[in-house]
Amino acid sequence: MSTSIKRGNVAGWLMAGPAFFLICLFLILPFFMAIWFSFTDQRLISPNEPEFVGTRNYERLFGMSLLTLDAQTDESGAVKMKDGEPVYPRLRSYTRDKDTYPEYFRKRQWFTIDRSDNRRTFVLASDIVFLKAVKNTLMFVAIVAPVQSGLALLLALLINQKVRGINIFRTIYFMPVVISMVVVSMLWRFIYDGQNGLLNNILGFLSFGYLEPVNWLGNTATALPSIMAMSIWQGVGFFMIIWLSGLQTIPPTLYEASRIEGASGWQTFRYVTWPGLRNTAILVMIVITMQAFTLYPQIAVMTSGGPLDSTQSIVFQMVERGYEKQDISGGSTISVFLFLFVLTISLLQGFLTRKKS
Amino acid sequence: MAGLKLSGIRKSFGKVEVIKGIDLDIEDGEFVVFVGPSGCGKSTLLRLIAGLEDITAGELQIDGKVVNQVEPKERGIAMVFQSYAIFPHMSVRENMGFGLTIRRENKAQIKERVDEAARMLQMEDLLDRRPDQLSGGQRQRVAIGRAVVRSPDVFLFDEPLSNLDAALRMNTRMEISELHKRLGTTMIYVTHDQVEAMTLADKIVVLKDGEVQQYGPPMDLYHYPANRFVAEFIGSPPMNFLTAAVEQQADGQVFASADSIGRVSLPEFNFVKPATMHLGLRPQYISLGEGPDSHHRFEATVGVTERLGSETLINLKAKDGTKVTAVLPEDVELQADQTVIFNFDVNKLRVFAI
Ligand SMILES: Nc1ncnc2c1ncn2[C@@H]1O[C@H](COP(=O)(O)OP(=O)(O)OP(=O)(O)O)[C@@H](O)[C@H]1O
Ligand SMILES: [Mg+2]
């Protein structure tokens, strides 16, 4: 008996072996390599041996300083004005002077805060593009996660009905999910086209030519929202199916009981449906958040981070550094940051939604 | 408080007709049990009354008003489901007060009504628990409590006891019976268990394939079953059936001749046409020995003996091999394969067409 178990074990390992080997090679090993690279100056292709650099990569990503300056004054002591704005000393004199101001060296202005007494605080950062990418990604998550999950729930409620032909609707809503995001992005580039795009045509037609065509992806104000809208559309079907599976675990007799008790549609949702979807909601929220954080193909295909870095994203920056700029240690640093960040958020979500007993 | 009147009720799911024209009069305050084999349409009929399914044809009146098109909540009914259907994320108190909560009754009144119902069902100590902290019997009690709190005109029960074990089923059955006595409300109760039907009902409706086989008080159904189906369904163990040729003698007396038990006179019948029919004889009416002279006697071979404590079931084989069950007193001793004489009162025989 014991020999057969042992033999079964060997055979089992042999069968699991190839998959186990591949998982180690392509998932587990790179994971630890990325952590290691983030502490070196490893480049993608380089004749030099990489060196351990401590936390330098992280400092470069997150290096930030505040610099508060007084407005310049003329001889009389009055504030110098130009175009109705007070004039401040040139930042270059601070950021290029390594010896006097090492803390500002090579940093650039991210944004400024005006004080009341003709003083201005300059927020300087060593990697503005990365910080913009973080900000854009957070915005993307903050809008896409709730809107996409809410819309998906709405669709799921609509198609969770015993109506003839309901499967056609389920299929239609699910269709974008099975199309690759790259293909979807290419298609939507045409839809968003600034001249003859489908969206501009439709808006023009519906407003009888009143609305001017908008260059949706070429405009800093509309580029990120456009990508958000498309991403929501593409992924909504997937989460609709997950909600639907949650809805179908709710026993129909609960609905019948609440109907007999006289609950309205909204009351039924509030007292029966939503409590029954608790676990599904946690799953959807965590998956949708993690997915939104990895925003990449849309950006790569549609805007490459532009215009003016208004659509930079964390993962896009990661790929750009690691491969375009061959700075694999910089890319690894970003990926380690993303990992820790998403992990923290997931743990937080898990903690906040834990079952209270 | 309300009576019900069903006239020509029909229900089809697609092309399949499940309820095939049912006429019933249920009086105010009556306890009526729908009983029948699985799939006969009991639940469907109850759901039609509740308004959970649309009536295909016919008319349903509750308290004199036609309610075919009326929403369930307006029908003055409360329903208790086999699967309890209590809301898993609400406490017992919230569950019981649910109907009042969504009607936005004031809190004090909800509390009062829930407390009163809980007292009646002796479940005050459960009020703050959650459903997953309750046993099956307690859950069903919560469901009944929720119905009581609504103070409906008609209670509907769909096999409320079938998920409970035997002892609990008996207890809860008695509680439901007491509840009916106390409230005096009309109750309609679905079950496939004829014991439940017999013990609870003022009147029983026996259903088969979506049609009423018989409607009447339990003992009427027991003593005078309208057809072989009812005879077999009501009473346990089921009635014995013997094939016999029935004919009328020149003097007008009716006799049945069966290969199994011989020639029996049927004093209650004045028959006309000779035919082959089934004689029905309840196992309880068979006794051991010769019996009084007016009784009919027959010989049979003893088979398996089953002792139930208060009574003993004996499986017999009549002369022609027909199997007959007899219910005899507790301590009776019979050897297997022994041939013994039994007797029964001919007035207890029932005759059914084949
Ligand atoms: N929604 C439905 N669609 C189609 N057929 C149905 C539907 N509901 C019930 N039926 C059919 O109607 C018949 C009666 O069902 P019903 O549930 O009333 O039986 P029942 O007497 O309650 O049986 P049980 O004792 O098993 O609960 C069954 O043949 C069932 O398949
Ligand atoms: Mg049923």
Side-chain angles (χ1 to χ4, degrees), chain A residues 33-38 58 318 322 327-337:
Chain A
M33 274 168 71
I35 296 178
W36 166 244
F37 284 162
S38 73
Y58 291 93
M318 187 165 101
D327 175 12
I328 207 76
S329 60
S332 297
T333 312
I334 297 181
S335 71
V336 170
F337 160 72

Side-chain angles (χ1 to χ4, degrees), chain A residues 41-45 56-63 108 125-134 296 309 312-335 337:
Chain A
D41 63 355
Q42 173 86 42
R43 297 192 57 81
L44 193 58
I45 303 160
R56 194 180 77 195
N57 290 318
Y58 291 93
E59 285 160 23
R60 275 203 192 145
L61 277 187
F62 298 105
R108 283 163 51 209
S126 39
D127 197 337
I128 288 173
V129 174
F130 173 70
L131 292 176
K132 279 186 179 165
V134 171
Y296 172 72
D309 292 332
Q312 289 288 359
S313 78
I314 297 179
V315 176
F316 185 74
Q317 269 303 303
M318 187 165 101
V319 176
E320 169 125 318
R321 303 229 172 154
Y323 297 99
E324 300 291 316
K325 298 188 178 152
Q326 308 211 343
D327 175 12
I328 207 76
S329 60
S332 297
T333 312
I334 297 181
S335 71
F337 160 72

Side-chain angles (χ1 to χ4, degrees), chain B residues 144-195:
Chain B
I144 294 171
R146 186 173 65 193
V148 170
V149 168
R150 300 198 69 211
S151 51
D153 301 327
V154 182
F155 279 91
L156 306 176
F157 296 90
D158 191 357
E159 306 206 25
L161 309 184
S162 52
N163 287 355
L164 309 183
D165 68 44
L168 202 54
R169 204 178 303 164
M170 206 161 100
N171 259 331
T172 318
R173 196 170 75 203
M174 286 207 262
E175 281 170 18
I176 291 177
S177 184
E178 259 169 41
L179 190 71
H180 178 242
K181 284 209 189 74
R182 177 164 344 178
L183 298 173
T185 315
T186 314
M187 292 189 175
I188 302 177
Y189 186 106
V190 163
T191 178
H192 60 256
D193 177 356
Q194 58 96 18
V195 179

Side-chain angles (χ1 to χ4, degrees), chain A residues 253-254 256-263 267 271-272 275, chain B residues 47 51 73 79 81 83 85-86 89 98-99 102 146 150:
Chain A
T253 47
L254 287 189
E256 291 178 347
S258 90
R259 189 167 159 213
I260 285 179
E261 298 284 327
Q267 284 169 327
Y271 290 109
V272 181
Chain B
R47 294 162 59 81
K73 61 174 174 180
M79 188 154 168
F81 296 85
S83 57
I86 54 180
H89 51 277
F98 182 71
I102 59 175
R146 186 173 65 193
R150 300 198 69 211

